[in-house]
């Protein structure tokens, strides 16, 4: 039987033995069934790979290059093996709502001009035991997008691996969509995004003060007084003690985001479904 609109789910794992089973179960439980899961394990030192192999599913394909690839090399590696029409990226510790792919694929199928689609998501910071819901909009010039909420058309485009800093955002804005505003945010919480540290973007953790990273920042953000101020603030946060930074970030998050208790979240049927995988 010919299946249309096939999806390649890309996952890189590294020392994820505590979370990978829940993550894969949330992928395998999708109501949209026309998918493959391509996994590259980046030389884990725990039982991550054993757990993946223990989960018997014809949808899972482990692809091992035999060497460490690092972000975003592993994404390009898996993209080279992804032959299907749509790409969805999943982290090894995040959770998807069962209807995530179904809702996003249906939208993309009905809107041919849309290049990629993401959704609202539930953010959790383990270090501070904080939950909050992120509701963003299609102005991705100024809003961060959770990588694992994405579904996009497989256009054979690749990540720029010359620098790890902002490579995910650079891929979305400059490579995948080429600055064209043909994007859409699905207005429902379809992803649970898990963080071990407080309010630290994965890409920012690799930031080094050099000309290439400064050029990339302003190429992404354009040169303005506001963006210069935010860049200086970002540099300040890199040098102050971690405890002070966490307190500043906590105040920022509390002011601009809807922090909720786990009990309150469970009253929401959609979010409770995400929590059930934990």
């Amino acid at each position: 039987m010919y299946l249309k609109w096939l999806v390649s789910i890309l996952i890189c794992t590294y020392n994820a033995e505590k979370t990978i089973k829940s993550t894969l179960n949330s992928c395998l439980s999708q109501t949209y069934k026309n998918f493959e899961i391509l996994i590259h394990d980046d030389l884990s030192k725990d039982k991550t790979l054993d757990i993946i192999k223990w989960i018997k599913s014809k949808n899972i394909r482990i692809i091992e290059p035999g060497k460490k690839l690092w972000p975003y090399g592993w994404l390009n590696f898996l993209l080279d093996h992804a032959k299907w029409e749509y790409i969805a990226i999943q982290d090894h510790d995040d959770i998807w709502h069962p209807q995530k792919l179904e809702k996003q694929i249906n939208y993309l199928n009905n809107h041919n001009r849309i290049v990629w689609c993401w959704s609202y998501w539930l953010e959790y910071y383990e270090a501070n035991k904080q939950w909050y819901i992120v509701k963003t909009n299609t102005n991705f010039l100024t809003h961060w997008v959770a990588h694992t909420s994405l579904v996009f058309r497989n256009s054979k485009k690749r990540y720029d691996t010359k620098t790890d800093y902002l490579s995910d955002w650079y891929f979305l804005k400059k490579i995948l969509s080429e600055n064209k505003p043909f994007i859409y945010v699905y207005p429902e919480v379809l992803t649970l995004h898990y963080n071990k540290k407080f309010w630290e973007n994965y890409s920012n953790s690799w930031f080094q003060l050099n000309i290439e990273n400064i050029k990339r920042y302003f190429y992404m953000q354009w040169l303005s007084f506001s963006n210069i101020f935010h860049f200086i603030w970002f540099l300040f946060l890199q040098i102050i003690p971690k405890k002070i930074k966490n307190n500043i970030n906590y105040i920022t998050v509390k002011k601009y985001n809807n922090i909720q208790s786990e009990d309150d979240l469970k009253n929401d049927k959609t979010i409770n479904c995400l929590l059930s995988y934990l």
Side-chain angles (χ1 to χ4, degrees):
M1 180 176 66
Y2 175 68
L3 298 177
K4 294 185 67 177
W5 306 309
L6 302 173
V7 184
S8 293
I9 300 171
L10 312 185
I11 304 177
C12 179
T13 59
Y14 180 72
N15 292 350
E17 63 180 8
K18 294 181 180 180
T19 59
I20 189 59
K21 183 178 178 181
S22 296
T23 296
L24 286 176
N25 283 339
S26 77
C27 295
L28 294 170
S29 299
Q30 291 295 299
T31 55
Y32 191 90
K33 299 298 183 183
N34 302 341
F35 64 83
E36 64 173 351
I37 301 176
L38 305 182
I39 299 177
H40 158 61
D41 183 74
D42 219 24
L43 302 183
S44 291
K45 298 176 182 178
D46 61 8
K47 297 179 181 179
T48 299
L49 198 54
D50 293 334
I51 295 171
I52 296 170
K53 291 177 178 178
W54 179 81
I55 299 174
K56 304 297 182 183
S57 173
K58 63 180 180 180
N59 298 82
I60 295 177
R61 183 154 61 101
I62 302 172
I63 307 175
E64 298 182 78
K67 61 180 180 180
K68 199 169 186 68
L69 295 177
W70 302 97
Y72 290 82
W74 71 262
L75 273 170
N76 285 342
F77 172 75
L78 290 180
L79 281 170
D80 288 339
H81 290 82
K83 308 302 181 185
W84 290 2
E85 297 171 65
Y86 289 105
I87 302 295
I89 298 173
Q90 175 65 303
D91 283 350
H92 63 200
D93 54 3
D94 287 356
I95 301 295
W96 283 353
H97 187 276
Q99 291 182 294
K100 177 189 187 296
L101 290 182
E102 179 183 352
K103 291 183 175 184
Q104 291 181 284
I105 294 297
N106 284 341
Y107 185 87
L108 288 169
N109 285 337
N110 291 320
H111 299 80
N112 292 330
R113 294 186 71 193
I114 298 297
V115 177
W116 49 274
C117 172
W118 78 105
S119 70
Y120 297 166
W121 67 92
L122 178 65
E123 193 89 11
Y124 176 63
Y125 288 106
E126 182 185 52
N128 299 75
K129 308 299 181 187
Q130 292 290 343
W131 302 85
Y132 68 91
I133 297 171
V134 182
K135 295 183 178 181
T136 184
N137 59 38
T138 53
N139 184 5
F140 76 120
L141 298 176
T142 57
H143 287 79
W144 175 53
V145 177
H147 225 164
T148 57
S149 73
L150 287 172
V151 177
F152 57 90
R153 303 181 191 278
N154 190 354
S155 59
K156 308 303 180 184
K157 295 180 180 179
R158 299 294 182 265
Y159 287 77
D160 179 4
T161 58
K162 287 184 290 188
T163 174
D164 292 324
Y165 179 58
L166 293 180
S167 290
D168 47 0
W169 198 8
Y170 185 88
F171 174 74
L172 295 175
K173 180 180 175 183
K174 296 295 184 180
I175 299 176
L176 190 61
S177 57
E178 298 176 335
N179 276 334
K180 298 174 183 177
F182 302 140
I183 58 180
Y184 178 73
V185 54
Y186 203 92
E188 292 183 23
V189 177
L190 299 178
T191 302
L192 189 161
H193 189 48
Y194 184 88
N195 287 278
K196 291 184 178 180
K197 298 181 181 180
F198 188 80
W199 196 247
E200 287 189 8
N201 181 278
Y202 194 40
S203 181
N204 284 346
S205 65
W206 293 309
F207 177 79
Q208 293 180 340
L209 186 58
N210 57 45
I211 295 299
E212 173 126 11
N213 284 341
I214 294 173
K215 284 170 60 179
R216 169 157 289 193
Y217 179 88
F218 287 106
Y219 181 56
M220 299 292 299
Q221 294 279 68
W222 72 86
L223 188 62
S224 69
F225 176 80
S226 175
N227 286 330
I228 291 174
F229 172 80
H230 282 103
F231 186 71
I232 294 173
W233 177 251
F234 171 76
L235 292 179
F236 170 72
L237 292 177
Q238 306 311 303
I239 62 174
I240 63 174
K242 186 175 181 180
K243 186 174 182 180
I244 297 176
K245 180 169 69 172
N246 282 348
N247 288 333
I248 292 173
N249 284 328
Y250 175 77
I251 294 170
T252 303
V253 172
K254 191 169 185 178
K255 182 178 180 181
Y256 292 107
N257 296 284
N258 184 18
I259 291 183
Q260 301 185 30
S261 70
E262 188 171 355
D263 288 338
D264 290 336
L265 291 170
K266 287 180 179 178
N267 292 326
D268 184 302
K269 184 183 251 185
T270 299
I271 292 176
N272 193 33
C273 182
L274 286 168
L275 297 176
S276 70
Y277 286 92
L278 298 178

